[in-house]
Amino acid sequence: MIHEVEIQNFKCIKNLKIKGFSNVNFFVGSANSGKTTVLEALYLLFGKDDNLKRLIRRMLTNRGIVCNTRLEYDDFASLFYDQNTEEHIEICSKDRKLKIPSFYDDITNIDKLDNENDAEFIFHDFRLKLLNQTIEEVMHNKDTKDKFKRLFQAFDDESIEDFFIGSYGLEIHHKHLTNSVNIRQMGQGFGFVLTIFALIARGDRVIIIDELENGLHYTAMDLVLKTIFKFASDKANPVQFFISTHSLEVLQKANLLLDGGKFGEDLARVFNVFVRQSGEIDYINYSQESFIKELDRDNEIRSF
């Protein structure tokens, strides 16, 4: 379980230490307040790869920056606070630490004490790519395949009959169609839900999601949140989630599901990330009890 992270000189963050992470962590705040930057810092520190250069290129590629073997200077400098490469980037937690030096060629791999907290990042523009990569691993193991199928059927047991890996990724057998349908022909929200299911089935312990509501139909939100809370509250093998959102509806649905303590009294927290007048990034940490009370009173907790 990741409990805290400290970030220095990374993108829009000069110095920020966030404490008190729970099993499910929602990040809210105004545009350009630093929500996604926090998620990206967590990804670089806990990503499922020891090769830091590769993680950086993957992160930038998912932001629409073309990355070859060696980064262009401007792209590399964009990682640094105020693009000042003379101040090293440092991201650390209790058991991991990384440093990004002034020169790309000087970057070394991350030293990990263990792989328990390795994280996967679901970038909203690259969900299907991650799904097809993950589903290949899931399908090669009977237990993970069966687990994925159970999640899949709980999501849609009326129209989906089966699935398999085809030449172009995941193929879906629809009950009312003769031919299978490739996942690329289906809605973004559907693919996003299956990506979460595939990561859970694979056994991922930390999942980072950028803009949960993006491309997801409001009717599916309830099931997605129930699935997240169910696996986050698992006593034996809890999954930890870090999620950014702009949506009040996401928070309201989370409130309804969490109120009453069905999934535990402190399963989720909301972190309101904001920019102080000085330009520094800061945050407010709402416990599950406090953000439920604030939402019940119709108080706005997404901005400062």
Side-chain angles (χ1 to χ4, degrees):
M1 182 76 71
I2 301 169
H3 298 286
E4 62 182 48
V5 67
E6 186 168 4
I7 306 165
Q8 294 182 352
N9 300 314
F10 181 56
K11 300 182 77 171
C12 64
I13 296 176
K14 177 62 177 174
N15 197 333
L16 178 66
K17 185 171 185 177
I18 303 180
K19 295 182 178 182
F21 290 140
S22 190
N23 297 54
V24 181
N25 305 279
F26 292 103
F27 290 84
V28 300
S30 303
N32 300 315
S33 62
K35 301 183 299 298
T36 300
T37 299
V38 173
L39 299 188
E40 289 175 333
L42 288 165
Y43 176 64
L44 291 182
L45 187 60
F46 292 99
K48 296 176 73 67
D49 199 327
D50 294 338
N51 190 316
L52 182 54
K53 288 182 180 178
R54 199 153 48 218
L55 284 173
I56 290 171
R57 290 199 301 272
R58 192 176 301 151
M59 183 191 76
L60 291 175
T61 298
N62 289 333
R63 289 290 163 221
I65 298 173
V66 178
C67 297
N68 299 314
T69 304
R70 195 175 189 282
L71 291 183
E72 296 292 333
Y73 175 79
D74 287 347
D75 294 333
F76 181 59
S78 70
L79 297 174
F80 292 77
Y81 179 76
D82 201 22
Q83 300 190 44
N84 179 11
T85 58
E86 292 183 6
E87 296 283 345
H88 295 176
I89 295 169
E90 291 192 13
I91 306 171
C92 63
S93 67
K94 286 187 175 181
D95 59 353
R96 288 192 194 182
K97 182 175 182 179
L98 72 79
K99 179 183 285 187
I100 300 179
S102 301
F103 298 99
Y104 180 75
D105 291 339
D106 292 340
I107 294 175
T108 57
N109 290 345
I110 304 171
D111 292 325
K112 298 180 180 179
L113 297 178
D114 59 64
N115 295 322
E116 181 180 344
N117 290 323
D118 279 359
E120 191 64 83
F121 197 146
I122 307 178
F123 293 91
H124 63 79
D125 291 333
F126 288 84
R127 291 168 177 172
L128 291 186
K129 181 179 179 182
L130 177 59
L131 171 60
N132 284 324
Q133 291 171 346
T134 308
I135 203 67
E136 290 273 1
E137 299 177 48
V138 169
M139 295 289 281
H140 281 96
N141 180 287
K142 184 180 183 304
D143 290 339
T144 57
K145 181 181 178 180
D146 289 346
K147 187 174 183 179
F148 177 73
K149 190 170 185 177
R150 288 195 300 271
L151 290 167
F152 193 101
Q153 290 174 335
F155 178 68
D156 188 338
D157 63 350
E158 295 182 0
S159 59
I160 304 302
E161 195 166 63
D162 204 355
F163 56 88
F164 66 96
I165 300 297
S167 302
Y168 299 100
L170 186 65
E171 297 278 338
I172 308 296
H173 273 306
H174 198 284
K175 289 182 179 179
H176 306 297
L177 297 176
T178 303
N179 297 312
S180 63
V181 180
N182 188 272
I183 188 65
R184 295 178 301 174
Q185 297 173 265
M186 308 187 80
Q188 287 186 2
F190 184 74
F192 172 44
V193 171
L194 296 193
T195 304
I196 296 175
F197 292 168
L199 292 176
I200 291 173
R202 188 175 68 176
D204 285 40
R205 300 292 296 277
V206 180
I207 299 176
I208 304 170
I209 304 173
D210 189 24
E211 297 182 13
L212 176 65
E213 68 277 6
N214 196 296
L216 191 62
H217 196 269
Y218 74 94
T219 56
M221 185 61 69
D222 194 64
L223 177 63
V224 171
L225 287 172
K226 282 181 180 177
T227 302
I228 287 172
F229 295 155
K230 174 185 175 182
F231 284 92
S233 60
D234 186 280
K235 299 297 183 184
N237 296 295
V239 181
Q240 189 173 23
F241 291 86
F242 296 88
I243 302 166
S244 71
T245 181
H246 295 279
S247 170
L248 179 60
E249 185 180 21
V250 168
L251 297 178
Q252 289 172 334
K253 284 187 176 293
N255 177 19
L256 291 173
L257 292 170
L258 293 169
D259 198 6
K262 177 183 177 181
F263 296 99
E265 297 298 330
D266 196 26
L267 181 75
R269 285 178 174 260
V270 173
F271 294 83
N272 182 347
V273 182
F274 64 93
V275 183
R276 291 194 174 276
Q277 288 186 342
S278 62
E280 295 179 340
I281 306 295
D282 207 342
Y283 71 96
I284 300 171
N285 179 347
Y286 291 94
S287 68
Q288 182 170 308
E289 180 182 8
S290 62
F291 89 72
I292 286 175
K293 285 181 178 178
E294 293 297 324
L295 289 174
D296 286 345
R297 294 167 181 163
D298 291 326
N299 290 338
E300 178 60 78
I301 63 172
R302 294 173 298 165
S303 59
F304 179 75

